[in-house]
Amino acid sequence: MAGSTERPPAEASVVVHDAVITEERSRVIEARWAGGGMAEVARQDAKDDLVQPAWTGGGSIARTVGRLYASSGVGGGSGACTATVVGIRTVITAAHCVRTSTEGALARTAAWDQDLFFVPGYEGGAGPHGGFTVRRVRMAEDWQTYGRDVAMLEMNPGADGRNISDVVGTQPISFTAEPGASAHFFGYPYTDRVLHCSGVTAWAAGETMVRVPCLMGGGGQWRFVPFGRPGGGRCRRGERRRRRGRKLRNSPRRIRPRPLPAVRARLMCSS
């Protein structure tokens, strides 16, 4: 990942990008990935000789951590990242998983990747909870700056009308992680199952990130989670891809997301 080692300013300019806003387009994307797109990416996956052990603990990790598919905004090639459910209809991934940059170009000019499709609990070529398309992306404009390679995805409801959190639950998230804690890392570094490693966190990139000293390999994406203490939660890092949807008058019926309940969610995790 390219980027500056300088600590970024406290405030970042946020980019909001619309994606899939019609039910028809959502069905097309789901059919594309379920009908052979995921299998195409899976041919690149390592089945043996994994860089870390596979996660066998089940629980919420097996439900909320999943694989995010997309087509590159430059060239159209298919690929995948790791992503995690952290809100009622919010999934977190790496910014470079949803945009493709050209070497030497400014971050804000990077192409938006296409046809984002998230499969929570992915294993061995399929997901037991189905898949979800992305309605909207929020990320820092200068996302290639260290510490800002993060994208928040607003998900469309599933085929049955339920929000993603109603199907798989959520992971807590925190933005105040400190180094020196025991943490766990989960992800799909081009593997057909979730891998896991752990270690003690330390500052990285000029104290803009807290990093786990685990080798997860190149390509895919990762995350870490301090377990069993206040402020503990999930974090991640990723790869790339995504689609730009057009809003047209007289177009197919737009997806209407279910209203959020009138409560404030308390996010507790590690970033």
Side-chain angles (χ1 to χ4, degrees), residues 29 32-34 36-45 66-72 77-83 93 97-98 113-127 130-134 153 155 188 190-193 221 240-243:
I29 292 173
R32 178 221 167 154
W33 292 110
M38 290 195 298
E40 177 188 347
V41 175
R43 284 196 286 270
Q44 308 172 47
D45 288 344
R67 209 163 191 192
L68 177 69
Y69 293 89
S71 297
S72 171
S78 299
C81 282
T82 306
T93 190
C97 289
V98 299
D113 294 334
Q114 301 179 2
D115 295 352
L116 289 185
F117 187 65
F118 178 60
V119 182
Y122 173 89
E123 182 174 353
F132 296 80
T133 58
V134 176
L153 314 181
M155 311 304 293
Y188 298 85
Y190 276 98
T191 55
D192 65 347
R193 71 208 85 168
Q221 155 189 316
R240 51 170 177 260
R241 339 250 162 220
R242 169 194 171 75
R243 117 134 199 135

Side-chain angles (χ1 to χ4, degrees), residues 177-199:
E178 295 291 336
S182 176
H184 296 255
F185 228 144
F186 301 91
Y188 298 85
Y190 276 98
T191 55
D192 65 347
R193 71 208 85 168
V194 179
L195 305 190
H196 164 251
C197 62
S198 61

Side-chain angles (χ1 to χ4, degrees), residues 15-17 21 49 51-52 57 65 68 70 72 90 93 96 115 133 180 192 196 217 236 242 249 256 263 265-266:
V15 176
V16 180
H17 177 74
I21 60 170
D49 192 26
V51 294
Q52 297 291 346
V65 178
L68 177 69
S72 171
T90 302
T93 190
H96 69 269
D115 295 352
T133 58
D192 65 347
H196 164 251
R236 161 240 77 260
R242 169 194 171 75
R249 297 182 188 276
R256 296 184 180 276
V263 296
R266 198 168 96 184

Side-chain angles (χ1 to χ4, degrees), residues 82-240:
T82 306
T84 301
V85 184
V86 295
I88 292 174
R89 55 174 179 255
T90 302
V91 166
I92 188 171
T93 190
H96 69 269
C97 289
V98 299
R99 299 187 77 171
T100 300
S101 59
T102 303
E103 185 174 358
L106 296 174
R108 67 175 65 94
T109 67
W112 292 95
D113 294 334
Q114 301 179 2
D115 295 352
L116 289 185
F117 187 65
F118 178 60
V119 182
Y122 173 89
E123 182 174 353
H129 312 292
F132 296 80
T133 58
V134 176
R135 181 179 181 84
R136 189 168 290 118
V137 179
R138 292 173 173 85
M139 58 188 290
E141 185 175 41
D142 60 343
W143 58 274
Q144 289 179 322
T145 300
Y146 280 121
R148 289 190 174 162
D149 186 14
V150 177
M152 308 299 286
L153 314 181
E154 179 185 339
M155 311 304 293
N156 285 311
D160 61 0
R162 291 191 295 169
N163 287 320
I164 190 169
S165 59
D166 296 329
V167 179
V168 301
T170 65
Q171 290 293 335
I173 183 171
S174 166
F175 300 96
T176 58
E178 295 291 336
S182 176
H184 296 255
F185 228 144
F186 301 91
Y188 298 85
Y190 276 98
T191 55
D192 65 347
R193 71 208 85 168
V194 179
L195 305 190
H196 164 251
C197 62
S198 61
V200 176
T201 61
W203 284 126
E207 298 188 4
T208 61
M209 295 187 291
V210 177
R211 180 166 292 170
V212 182
C214 290
L215 174 65
M216 272 287 192
Q221 155 189 316
W222 331 309
R223 103 208 41 259
F224 73 75
V225 190
F227 283 130
R229 73 183 191 90
R234 171 112 327 98
C235 284
R236 161 240 77 260
R237 159 154 119 173
E239 190 172 10
R240 51 170 177 260

Side-chain angles (χ1 to χ4, degrees), residues 13-25:
S13 177
V14 175
V15 176
V16 180
H17 177 74
D18 285 336
V20 181
I21 60 170
T22 70
E23 292 180 347
E24 179 182 349
R25 184 59 192 163

